[in-house]
Amino acid sequence: MKRIADSTVRRLSMYLRYLEDLDTRGQQTASSDELAHLCGTTPAQVRKDLSFFGSFGKRGLGYPVHELTAHLREILGLQREWKVLIIGAGKIGAALANYRGFRQRGFTVAGVYDNDPHKVGQPWGEAIVRPMDALEADLNRDDAPIAVLAIPAEGAQAVVDRLVKAGVRAILNFAPTQITVPPHVNLKSVNMAMELEGLSFALTNPGYLDEGAA
Amino acid sequence: MKRIADSTVRRLSMYLRYLEDLDTRGQQTASSDELAHLCGTTPAQVRKDLSFFGSFGKRGLGYPVHELTAHLREILGLQREWKVLIIGAGKIGAALANYRGFRQRGFTVAGVYDNDPHKVGQPWGEAIVRPMDALEADLNRDDAPIAVLAIPAEGAQAVVDRLVKAGVRAILNFAPTQITVPPHVNLKSVNMAMELEGLSFALTNPGYLDEGAA
DNA sequence: CCCTGCTTGTGAACAATTTCACAAGCTCTA
DNA sequence: TAGAGCTTGTGAAATTGTTCACAAGCAGGG
Ligand SMILES: NC(=O)c1ccc[n+]([C@@H]2O[C@H](COP(=O)([O-])OP(=O)(O)OC[C@H]3O[C@@H](n4cnc5c(N)ncnc54)[C@H](O)[C@@H]3O)[C@@H](O)[C@H]2O)c1
Ligand SMILES: NC(=O)c1ccc[n+]([C@@H]2O[C@H](COP(=O)([O-])OP(=O)(O)OC[C@H]3O[C@@H](n4cnc5c(N)ncnc54)[C@H](O)[C@@H]3O)[C@@H](O)[C@H]2O)c1
């Protein structure tokens, strides 16, 4: 089984988004060229990405939109519902909990946790903020394999260790700090300050960069 | 002038974060090995990254923490203040506007814009929400070179075109859609649904991936 | 039924990035 | 001043990711 690059998975995700659009508009087929234009990549890249998982297209015609949508959903593991735990009932946590984009893709918020006694027990969107103490018991009862970490950097590693020990195998981290996890746990970090600093670098050193793409 | 990889810039940003920590703790020097461990990379990578910009270390000793911090700040363009415009006074916009991590690095929110008449004029953190109509005039008066886009995907490209026309040369986009800009404009997109889908893929296809790093 | 036009799937070439490996250089000690 | 012990800086090698180019294959028209 070949290793799939992270960049490939991100593109699959993007293909899916645009295929869903085309599908709801009733379009039957889409060529690699059309998909590439929609997603800001190249036709060869689209074909190569898809070819890792099978032959979904018809030569001369393109890819069947509806079928390919289903295939991509399966490849990405989106046929099922994923329960998501949000750790940290702060501003970022609040934005994420209400984010429509997650629910649309089958991610449902199974619980929100915080260690601030003033927040615990408060209603929070459709949920009620739960105490950190409840974490382990809740996980046994109803295991939520994806955790979103939205707490300050200081406590982040300790909470991650606890999540891992409790059986969580995927973590999306928003705290701006380096987190380490054992090899069987999947970790992704989003660091917004880093993105802004990338822009600062590009503006400051125009000579070092070529394109304005992203 | 050599092209600097995006991944290199991201790591520089991380080195800076940890060097600042070491500096406030009074540590004089740091070896590439120490930095690598802190940042989750390799010593060779640290040295190669830094070597693109000069020779900052002393053989046998390591890098002078305080000096290197200053160098990195300069390389990343962080000695100055960057004005940031937030477009979209919604949940994500609110979280970002109050994000301490931005101000710490010299990014200050110069204005928040929205097209919802109910939001325009309302106080919003320390600012007051301004109407989109005011954008062009405000930019002439006090040009803010970085814009953060926190509005729904539908209107995003149109607003970007308007920002570009008004002279904005760097955009951080949170709308989950493909945006195109002319070559002289720097665009970065953060797509959280894509990150979660990456985790879903990793959980679904454990055979395709090796490591749990990020 | 065959020919034309188009588009896929994919090995091979190419490009970018990371890792390796080691000479060069600094500091400290005797 | 010479030698030991570290650690940097950097070409070269290895690895990873992207682009090219074209044979193979399908559809529709004459
Ligand atoms: N606000 C943003 O735009 C933004 C952007 C990028 C990253 N971040 C990062 O996301 C994290 C959260 O940011 P925020 O703005 O939502 O902060 P916040 O202060 O609004 O919320 C943090 C919440 O986490 C809770 N908390 C703290 N320690 C905890 C622990 N050990 N266990 C459980 N809960 C704990 C606090 O009680 C609080 O409710 C921070 O690391 C921040 O750097 C924020
Ligand atoms: N909430 C999240 O966690 C989250 C996460 C990732 C991405 N996003 C994306 O960020 C964007 C904003 O999300 P949100 O949750 O803050 O939504 P929101 O509905 O809370 O806020 C959007 C704001 O943008 C304003 N707006 C809409 N169209 C506009 C236009 N043309 N010009 C100016 N203002 C306009 C609206 O009036 C509203 O105030 C969306 O594209 C969303 O998909 C949100």
Side-chain angles (χ1 to χ4, degrees):
Chain A
M1 214 176 221
K2 210 169 181 336
R3 171 119 216 290
I4 300 298
D6 219 63
S7 46
T8 297
V9 179
R10 302 173 71 82
R11 283 191 299 268
L12 292 178
S13 187
M14 201 182 299
Y15 303 152
L16 176 57
R17 191 176 333 282
Y18 283 96
L19 283 164
E20 281 173 342
D21 275 8
L22 296 177
D23 195 24
T24 55
R25 280 198 239 112
Q27 187 168 329
Q28 297 291 312
T29 62
S31 66
S32 57
D33 203 62
E34 179 171 11
L35 274 176
H37 271 92
L38 287 171
C39 299
T41 181
T42 65
Q45 185 78 79
V46 172
R47 296 200 297 275
K48 176 72 77 178
D49 285 341
L50 295 175
S51 77
F52 289 132
F53 301 94
S55 303
F56 306 115
K58 279 205 168 53
R59 299 175 187 217
L61 266 190
Y63 297 91
V65 171
H66 192 74
E67 266 187 61
L68 183 55
T69 304
H71 276 300
L72 283 179
R73 248 196 281 268
E74 186 164 352
I75 290 165
L76 290 170
L78 300 174
Q79 348 79 307
R80 54 165 287 183
E81 175 195 58
W82 290 104
K83 301 229 166 169
V84 175
L85 248 47
I86 295 186
I87 316 292
K91 291 180 288 290
I92 269 281
L96 292 169
N98 296 304
Y99 183 31
R100 224 161 16 96
F102 287 168
R103 195 154 325 169
Q104 279 173 357
R105 285 303 175 84
F107 299 99
T108 61
V109 176
V112 180
Y113 293 78
D114 207 292
N115 71 351
D116 179 345
H118 295 101
K119 294 196 174 178
V120 169
Q122 297 292 313
W124 206 74
E126 296 162 22
I128 287 183
V129 177
R130 295 186 59 73
M132 289 298 286
D133 304 337
L135 199 82
E136 283 80 2
D138 288 4
L139 273 172
N140 285 341
R141 183 168 49 79
D142 170 6
D143 77 317
I146 301 183
V148 172
L149 203 65
I151 66 174
E154 292 74 58
Q157 181 68 59
V159 171
V160 165
D161 293 344
R162 196 169 155 189
L163 290 168
V164 168
K165 193 174 285 179
V168 168
R169 277 173 38 240
I171 298 172
L172 181 56
N173 169 48
F174 284 88
T177 186
Q178 180 64 23
I179 302 280
T180 57
V181 290
H184 68 282
V185 176
N186 299 284
L187 170 70
K188 293 212 177 234
S189 289
V190 173
N191 192 323
M192 296 178 198
M194 208 176 261
E195 305 296 334
L196 265 194
E197 284 167 34
L199 290 175
S200 167
F201 176 84
L203 288 170
T204 308
N205 312 71
Y208 281 123
L209 298 155
D210 301 337
E211 313 213 331
Chain B
M1 213 177 222
K2 210 168 180 336
R3 170 119 217 289
I4 300 298
D6 219 64
S7 47
T8 298
V9 178
R10 302 174 71 81
R11 283 191 300 269
L12 293 179
S13 188
M14 202 182 299
Y15 303 152
L16 175 57
R17 190 176 334 282
Y18 284 96
L19 283 165
E20 282 174 342
D21 275 9
L22 295 177
D23 195 25
T24 54
R25 280 199 239 113
Q27 187 168 329
Q28 297 292 314
T29 61
S31 66
S32 56
D33 203 63
E34 179 171 11
L35 274 177
H37 271 92
L38 287 170
C39 299
T41 182
T42 65
Q45 184 78 80
V46 172
R47 297 200 296 276
K48 176 73 75 180
D49 286 342
L50 295 175
S51 78
F52 289 131
F53 301 94
S55 302
F56 306 115
K58 278 205 168 55
R59 299 174 187 219
L61 266 192
Y63 297 91
V65 170
H66 192 74
E67 267 186 60
L68 184 54
T69 304
H71 276 300
L72 282 179
R73 247 196 283 268
E74 186 165 352
I75 290 165
L76 290 170
L78 299 173
Q79 349 77 305
R80 53 166 287 184
E81 176 195 57
W82 290 103
K83 302 230 165 170
V84 175
L85 249 48
I86 295 186
I87 315 292
K91 292 180 287 290
I92 269 281
L96 293 169
N98 295 304
Y99 183 30
R100 225 163 14 97
F102 287 167
R103 197 154 324 169
Q104 278 172 356
R105 286 303 175 85
F107 298 98
T108 61
V109 176
V112 180
Y113 293 78
D114 206 291
N115 71 352
D116 179 345
H118 295 100
K119 295 197 173 177
V120 170
Q122 298 291 314
W124 207 72
E126 295 162 24
I128 288 183
V129 177
R130 296 187 57 73
M132 289 297 287
D133 303 338
L135 199 81
E136 283 79 2
D138 287 5
L139 273 172
N140 285 341
R141 182 167 48 79
D142 168 7
D143 78 317
I146 301 184
V148 172
L149 204 65
I151 66 174
E154 292 74 57
Q157 181 68 59
V159 171
V160 165
D161 292 345
R162 196 169 154 189
L163 289 167
V164 168
K165 194 174 285 178
V168 169
R169 277 175 37 242
I171 298 172
L172 181 56
N173 169 48
F174 284 88
T177 186
Q178 180 63 23
I179 302 278
T180 56
V181 290
H184 68 280
V185 176
N186 299 284
L187 170 71
K188 293 211 177 237
S189 288
V190 173
N191 191 324
M192 298 180 195
M194 209 176 261
E195 305 296 334
L196 265 194
E197 285 168 33
L199 289 175
S200 167
F201 176 84
L203 288 169
T204 308
N205 313 71
Y208 282 122
L209 298 156
D210 302 336
E211 313 214 332

